[in-house]
Amino acid sequence: MCGIVGYVGTRDAVPVIIEGLRRLEYRGYDSAGVAVVDEGRLNRRRSVGKLKNLEESLRAEPLKGAFGIGHTRWATHGRPSEENAHPHADCKGELVVVHNGIIENYLSLKSRLAAAGHRFVTQTDTEVVAHLVESHLGRGSLEDAVRKALEEMEGIYALVLMHTGEPQKLVAARRGPPLVVGLGEGEHFLASDIPALLPYTRDFLFLDDGDVVVVTPKSVRITDPHGREVTRAPQRIAWDPVQAEKGGYRHFMLKEIHEQPRAVRDTLLGRIGLEEGEVHLEELGQAAAELKRSQRVLLLACGTSWHAALIGKYLLEQLSQVRAEVDYGSEFRYRTPIVGPETLAVAISQSGETADTLAAFREAKRLGALPIAICNVQGSMLTREAAGTLLTHAGPEIGVASTKAFTSQLVALALLALHLGRLRGTLSPERCRELLQSLSKVPHLMENALQASGRIDEMSKFFAHAHDFLFLGRGINYPIALEGALKLKEISYIHAEGYPAGEMKHGPIALIDENMPVVALCPPGRTYEKMLSNVQEVKARGGKVLAITMQGDTEVPKILEQPPDMVVDVPEVDEVWSPLLTVLPLQLLAYHTAVRAGRDVDQPRNLAKSVTVE
């Protein structure tokens, strides 16, 4: 959601803040702003639209200061406008605040403050925070005023504030949305996500819910909701800053699609024993010793991670013969889930800060489940609340449409399924060794599959002006149909539906005509013959088919007509690992179709990378 950057130190704050905001553009936003203090005076600059608009304004009229805060806003209260853009100020223009989250009781607070003489000039809930803190100033420090304000606020927030009367100091608070502190020499940083600060530091402190932090150039002091000082161990982030750059690719999404072989290798690294046919998950800590008692696995996720969870269900049931269920994080709490100590709850999140997934995870923990996480960000809230974590080691993912996070999550789920299979005695060492050997070859096979990018780009010119798509799959590749449809609609804005092919006759077949492209996932396996029949049903109704097959397939081409039909084949692999390959052409199809349609691939409209509010 919103991006936050703060800086205190000896550098000119504005370039640091703007660079940080640029690295957070992937989160989605509709306006941007910056505020700095120079010689005791507070100066603000805000603009609607892309960050470049703010940069042009700053070039025309530069701002200087050695401490300041910046923000990219994703509108929740009040339309996108310069007036509603952050940072927001108090009545005197001496205090400013940036905020990610929602203040649920802002209307009652606003009414009370207005009656006391405070002047409001925006439609946002965030402006209330500035005036509420202002109302408590004069009876202590900025930190004291912030604490008093927090006691009156309801909702979720990541807040950073500064005041002209307390130079070289930022005060921040977290409850819900993420906030990290970057550690430097004679300078410190605040941000809503790690990539913002990678050019300046690799050492981070992750704030917990309820934390209040005071940051100066020489110190970082964290206190809990009761004002007691707490110690947080710094964590060193191994990501190379270059990983957050495009590296010669036109878009981050295309770069991240091509990084998937590396991400899969890194997720496998050090976790598989090919000779003994074992998976090593000692990193789960104490949770590793408790896995064997699990009689049921509950997978909790949202969006693309939910599709990974659906494949995880297939893997867990097939390889470890344990009952597995998949729940949307956003729906889990709103029914009466049956969860107990026999349940292993696995939360899956790229960022580790997805609000719905976190809330569902906490509920499963409360009900007695053993909680573990699959996550890409060490130190995120999810990893801190889990009894153990499988890190995916995908590196920073900047494109809003998730690609390498998805495939690395699939690998983490595969490792968990294989490990449980060995623990439960449902998977022999010989079969586990065979599957691990096959899995270890997948990164190289992915590299081969990605060589089809040029062909798929040529194919995409037939699809860029389509209005609807249907994606069909069966078995373990049904979730890939869902994921392919999601990718296409996310970044090309073409309506697309993913369906289990066996359900086509129960409704979707009515939509098929010569104007609707149908993507059919046809890898060999237990549902192959059924998929051939489904493709024939599409052809009988005049549909145009793009079939995803494996190399050496001779049956699918017999059914299709060239043109208008098309085939993309991927290297042959064991059926259980086929989603790691069949998803690649669908990612490339979505990407190239969106580019041809002139879409903003890395920052599609209305979407944010990390959904940190409900």
Side-chain angles (χ1 to χ4, degrees), residues 73-307:
R73 177 179 186 248
W74 196 75
T76 55
H77 294 78
R79 63 184 176 82
S81 68
E82 184 175 325
E83 184 179 74
N84 287 331
H86 298 217
H88 290 297
D90 65 346
C91 295
K92 298 176 184 176
E94 297 175 347
L95 175 150
V96 285
V97 60
V98 291
H99 168 223
N100 180 14
I102 297 172
I103 307 304
E104 295 172 353
N105 62 333
Y106 85 101
L107 287 175
S108 60
L109 291 172
K110 185 174 184 178
S111 177
R112 191 189 83 202
L113 290 163
H118 290 265
R119 302 182 307 279
F120 288 86
V121 296
T122 80
Q123 302 166 311
T124 71
D125 56 335
T126 303
E127 190 187 10
V128 168
V129 179
H131 292 284
L132 187 59
V133 173
E134 179 188 21
S135 72
H136 291 294
L137 280 171
R139 298 187 295 277
S141 66
L142 176 60
E143 179 188 359
D144 295 331
V146 169
R147 286 190 175 284
K148 288 174 180 151
L150 295 179
E151 291 174 2
E152 301 180 65
M153 288 162 43
E154 298 172 8
I156 61 171
Y157 48 76
L159 297 166
V160 183
L161 302 95
M162 65 181 188
H163 190 272
T164 57
E166 298 187 35
Q168 290 290 76
K169 179 187 289 184
L170 302 178
V171 177
R174 172 186 179 163
R175 181 183 172 189
L179 201 59
V180 300
V181 180
L183 305 176
E185 293 291 334
E187 61 182 0
H188 290 113
F189 311 81
L190 285 158
S192 47
D193 207 352
I194 292 167
L197 307 181
L198 286 177
Y200 312 106
T201 183
R202 300 281 191 86
D203 296 313
F204 291 85
L205 296 172
F206 292 83
L207 299 185
D208 279 345
D209 277 354
D211 281 352
V212 175
V213 59
V214 178
V215 179
T216 71
K218 295 183 178 180
S219 66
V220 175
R221 184 170 58 85
I222 302 174
T223 51
D224 68 12
H226 305 290
R228 296 182 297 245
E229 193 162 341
V230 296
T231 301
R232 297 262 185 272
Q235 301 208 34
R236 188 158 185 83
I237 300 301
W239 296 350
D240 188 319
V242 176
Q243 288 184 286
E245 301 292 347
K246 290 180 184 174
Y249 288 93
R250 183 175 177 184
H251 297 95
F252 280 114
M253 182 180 177
L254 185 60
K255 172 178 178 277
E256 289 157 6
I257 288 172
H258 284 273
E259 285 178 337
Q260 288 176 108
R262 192 272 310 158
V264 167
R265 283 192 186 98
D266 287 354
T267 303
L268 289 171
L269 193 64
R271 290 169 167 165
I272 60 175
L274 294 179
E275 290 186 13
E276 69 271 30
E278 296 288 351
V279 173
H280 305 292
L281 301 183
E282 290 82 0
E283 65 202 273
L284 289 176
Q286 184 59 36
E290 300 179 48
L291 287 177
K292 192 172 182 179
R293 67 175 169 85
S294 302
Q295 299 302 311
R296 169 181 175 236
V297 180
L298 174 63
L299 300 162
L300 300 167
C302 297
T304 286
S305 296
W306 186 77
H307 296 156

Side-chain angles (χ1 to χ4, degrees), residues 406-433:
F406 173 73
T407 45
S408 58
Q409 286 169 354
L410 291 188
V411 172
L413 286 162
L415 294 174
L416 179 62
L418 290 166
H419 184 64
L420 278 175
R422 292 293 298 121
L423 278 179
R424 293 166 56 84
T426 58
L427 193 64
S428 69
E430 293 74 23
R431 178 57 176 156
C432 189
R433 184 185 304 113

Side-chain angles (χ1 to χ4, degrees), residues 1 31 109 198 223 231 270 284 334 369 371 374 376 383 399 408 426 526 531 564:
M1 308 295 272
S31 57
L109 291 172
L198 286 177
T223 51
T231 301
L284 289 176
Y334 301 106
I374 292 175
N376 191 38
T383 66
S408 58
T426 58
R526 65 181 71 181
M531 278 303 303

Side-chain angles (χ1 to χ4, degrees), residues 478-496:
Y478 157 55
I480 296 300
L482 295 175
E483 175 62 10
L486 176 62
K487 284 291 155 285
L488 188 68
K489 59 185 143 189
E490 276 183 315
I491 62 171
S492 73
Y493 316 149
I494 295 172
H495 173 254

